[in-house]
Amino acid sequence: MSRNRWQHRGLVLTLGVALTVPMSAATAAPPAADDAAADLVVVPLDDRPANLYFPEMTAASADVATVFPPSDLIGTFTTPGDGDAIGDWLLEQDDADGYVVSASMLAYGGLIASRTGVAATEEQARERVAVLHELREDNPGTPIYVYDTIQRLALSALGENAELYYSLIQRWAILTDRVNNLGHEQLRAELEEVRAQIPDEILADYLAARERNHQINRLLIEWAADGVVDHLVLAQDDAAPYGLHRAEREELKQLVTDLGAEDTVQIFPGADEVDATLVSRFVQQLGGTVPTVTVEYSGIDGSAWTAPFEDTTFDQNIDRHVLAAGGAVVEDDPDIHLLVNTPSATDGERAADLDRFVERMAQLEERGEDVIVVDAVEVNRADHALIERMEASVDLPGLLAYSGWNTAGNALGIATGHGFSRWSYLESNDRGSGVPAAIGPAEAHTSYLLHRLVLDDRFKNDVQPAAYAEARSHGWNVFGLTEPQTATMQAYVADRLGPLLEDFHAEHFAGHEITLAERGARTHTATVGPLASYDIALPWPRLFETGLEPEVELHGHGSANR
């Protein structure tokens, strides 16, 4: 069975050396170790790092090897994946220990393709996802986890007039729900004004995709109820409290109830994080573990806050993500403390709230408690005020996980997926053949944690805004760069992000202790050594995200009584 990692075009950096190489197997990381605890097949949502690198490192932190379809099958950017060929490939992976499958990739060729009606007819989509039935028949005892999205309000920001239609379609979908479904007649004039600005063919394609996707989601719920799928997540892509998705979601929830599938189907806001969430669910099943968490907030309670681009209060989103990842929320005596950064009640309370939040984080670490930090306040970036305080007061490599990436639901699923997986590995004392076997998973965990902090803060808060400004100063479209522009901006990003990564590692990771394993009453640790290498590359010809793959070495190991 081949193990394929994200293969990218871009800069591969070994400290002090920069090479420009074409997209090929030469740029891929070495294959996963053959002695991993398990092989998990992952059919990703698309080829962005969020759907390849994130789940890969989440799994590697728990000594699980991920197996992805060949890169030429999963497509890239606006080129959709080949759902038929991926289905054939999936059936060939008959020695896997588990499967995590994006129905969007199977049915339409990925997330962007799922937003257009021309990607596939409903009949074609049904034929492609039917491979799941055959996969179940061939692998009756193997866990099969599937996820799909409930289409977001807006179109993808691509091509001419993309940003204009993005906003207009989003506003039309919200107003249509409010006027036609909820009777808010005072908004009808605005609805008609917005509708007049949208070309008929664009709206027709949008609605065709919505209806087709909705019917596939209904089908997947039926299969989850019938046992074809062991666990199904329907993730609500970027949304709002009102919109066409609201009626779709309520209909899907009612179908879950009618079929008695509440234990096997989860519906919650999110999308890109679900690979990592379901990787964690597999790891929990593998280790026979169920992490329990208590939730604490920096600011207002999650029950009083609906995050941007979401349609439920955040406490509900936490409950559903934790359950989907194989965990449980409890009131006290948890295995893990889930610390969630939420807005403060007033701006004047913000500094004091963050001070208390980080002090609590440091106290828990000092007591030897396991901590996951979900940085949910800002959209598409870390809360830099929080990161500054954490750098000053917290042993960052001692965290189980951190994420502030993209939407609040994305950050939640990425952090809990990683943290739960790592916790399960440490909890399952019989994993591996001894302490030396624990070094690889610990290096993966440490490298990924470093990646998360630097990507979500240094890239999103420092490098990305500067890159946007640089590209726009030339009149370039930051969401659709040409090939020469991509090469120029990739070098721009790498030149600025590389030194920030090196400095962050030197200041906050090098020389710190990392837990390797817990054997009986003894905890075995190793010391964070050098930053051996790192890769930085733009996965798509845009500046919304960058690949960042550091490789951290651990040196020596010791042990102490717990």
Side-chain angles (χ1 to χ4, degrees):
M1 181 184 301
S2 62
R3 293 175 173 85
N4 297 289
R5 277 193 64 178
W6 172 42
Q7 298 177 6
H8 54 264
R9 176 184 56 202
L11 295 176
V12 179
L13 294 105
T14 300
L15 297 190
V17 180
L19 300 174
T20 303
V21 293
M23 186 178 197
S24 71
T27 65
D34 289 332
D35 59 353
D39 287 323
L40 177 63
V41 167
V42 180
V43 174
L45 187 60
D46 55 40
D47 69 327
R48 287 171 299 151
N51 299 303
L52 293 181
Y53 180 72
F54 294 8
E56 175 195 32
M57 298 304 285
T58 296
S61 298
D63 194 30
V64 170
T66 41
V67 185
F68 296 97
S71 59
D72 61 332
L73 296 187
I74 61 176
T76 187
F77 197 36
T78 57
T79 300
D82 187 336
D84 292 317
I86 288 175
D88 293 339
W89 174 88
L90 183 60
L91 294 176
E92 293 172 359
Q93 313 310 307
D94 54 5
D95 57 348
D97 298 295
Y99 303 89
V100 171
V101 181
S102 163
S104 291
M105 177 58 74
L106 277 181
Y108 322 115
L111 182 60
I112 286 183
S114 75
R115 296 171 181 160
T116 174
V118 301
T121 64
E122 181 182 330
E123 182 180 0
Q124 289 171 326
R126 284 176 176 268
E127 290 176 356
R128 290 169 183 166
V129 297
V131 73
L132 295 170
H133 260 285
E134 192 171 347
L135 186 67
R136 168 55 71 212
E137 292 172 3
D138 293 346
N139 303 274
T142 306
I144 300 174
Y145 306 139
V146 175
Y147 71 101
D148 205 353
T149 63
I150 301 173
Q151 188 173 346
R152 73 179 187 177
L153 290 174
L155 300 169
S156 294
L158 302 169
E160 187 177 359
N161 296 320
E163 294 185 60
L164 171 63
Y165 293 141
Y166 176 100
S167 300
L168 286 173
I169 287 284
Q170 184 177 51
R171 186 63 184 153
W172 177 85
I174 292 171
L175 289 169
T176 297
D177 183 41
R178 295 189 64 177
V179 173
N180 295 341
N181 295 334
L182 299 176
H184 297 175
E185 284 297 322
Q186 71 274 18
L187 298 174
R188 183 171 292 280
E190 183 183 356
L191 170 61
E192 293 173 353
E193 179 184 353
V194 171
R195 171 64 185 89
Q197 300 176 65
I198 304 172
D200 290 347
E201 63 274 15
I202 289 179
L203 186 60
D205 181 68
Y206 171 79
L207 291 173
R210 291 209 75 96
E211 176 59 21
R212 176 202 63 201
N213 297 1
H214 183 59
Q215 295 306 320
I216 296 301
N217 285 338
R218 289 182 55 89
L219 180 66
L220 293 173
I221 290 173
E222 293 171 2
W223 289 356
D226 291 342
V228 176
V229 172
D230 291 293
H231 200 81
L232 172 67
V233 169
L234 298 180
Q236 173 60 65
D237 201 2
D238 298 349
Y242 299 108
L244 295 184
H245 67 286
R246 189 183 59 80
E248 293 171 356
R249 183 197 65 217
E250 292 306 307
E251 182 182 326
L252 294 172
K253 287 171 62 178
Q254 186 60 53
L255 180 60
V256 170
T257 300
D258 292 345
L259 296 177
E262 293 91 337
D263 292 338
T264 54
V265 180
Q266 289 291 302
I267 301 175
F268 53 66
D272 292 339
E273 80 284 3
V274 183
D275 285 307
T277 297
L278 293 177
V279 166
S280 171
R281 188 175 190 88
F282 172 76
V283 170
Q284 305 315 316
Q285 178 161 333
L286 182 69
T289 49
V290 180
T292 60
V293 300
T294 55
V295 183
E296 301 177 48
Y297 300 99
S298 66
I300 58 178
D301 192 89
S303 63
W305 182 55
T306 299
F309 298 101
E310 298 190 1
D311 57 0
T312 62
T313 56
F314 203 55
D315 63 325
Q316 295 180 51
N317 206 3
I318 290 172
D319 287 345
R320 294 167 188 171
H321 269 86
V322 168
L323 179 61
V329 176
V330 296
E331 292 296 323
D332 50 41
D333 194 26
D335 298 310
I336 300 168
H337 295 264
L338 189 62
L339 303 188
V340 183
N341 187 24
T342 55
S344 296
T346 67
D347 290 342
E349 299 175 67
R350 190 60 184 159
D353 282 349
L354 286 177
D355 287 342
R356 284 191 295 270
F357 188 60
V358 173
E359 182 181 4
R360 172 64 171 162
M361 206 179 297
Q363 289 172 345
L364 289 169
E365 275 199 334
E366 183 66 24
R367 283 167 27 192
E369 302 284 349
D370 286 319
V371 176
I372 294 174
V373 179
V374 176
D375 193 355
V377 166
E378 302 287 351
V379 176
N380 291 332
R381 60 178 181 168
D383 179 355
H384 186 63
L386 171 62
I387 295 295
E388 284 186 316
R389 286 167 169 81
M390 290 170 62
E391 289 181 60
S393 303
V394 174
D395 176 32
L396 297 177
L399 296 173
L400 266 184
Y402 164 88
S403 181
W405 192 83
N406 213 3
T407 67
N410 293 156
L412 171 63
I414 290 165
T416 52
H418 177 203
F420 287 7
S421 295
R422 184 61 185 162
W423 176 86
S424 177
Y425 176 81
L426 295 174
E427 184 71 11
S428 303
N429 291 323
D430 58 346
R431 294 270 188 92
S433 57
V435 173
I439 294 175
E443 287 182 335
H445 162 72
T446 307
S447 298
Y448 186 46
L449 184 57
L450 173 63
H451 154 96
R452 287 259 55 91
L453 290 157
V454 174
L455 184 80
D456 298 353
D457 182 60
R458 299 303 200 261
F459 173 69
K460 284 292 189 177
N461 283 314
D462 296 336
V463 177
Q464 187 188 59
Y468 276 154
E470 174 68 17
R472 284 169 172 153
S473 74
H474 298 289
W476 298 347
N477 177 4
V478 299
F479 297 108
L481 300 167
T482 66
E483 188 171 343
Q485 291 166 2
T486 300
T488 297
M489 294 312 303
Q490 183 166 266
Y492 183 97
V493 168
D495 286 347
R496 286 152 182 80
L497 186 57
L500 294 176
L501 170 67
E502 294 175 29
D503 290 346
F504 199 95
H505 166 266
E507 186 172 353
H508 300 296
F509 274 69
H512 289 244
E513 284 193 345
I514 297 292
T515 298
L516 293 177
E518 294 173 348
R519 300 285 190 259
R522 301 190 70 79
T523 297
H524 299 267
T525 62
T527 302
V528 179
L531 182 59
S533 65
Y534 56 87
D535 297 351
I536 297 174
L538 299 180
W540 285 1
R542 65 181 193 177
L543 292 170
F544 183 78
E545 71 273 289
T546 185
L548 173 66
E549 300 188 13
E551 292 189 7
V552 174
E553 292 182 353
L554 298 182
H555 285 174
H557 58 82
S559 64
N561 289 324
R562 283 194 275 169

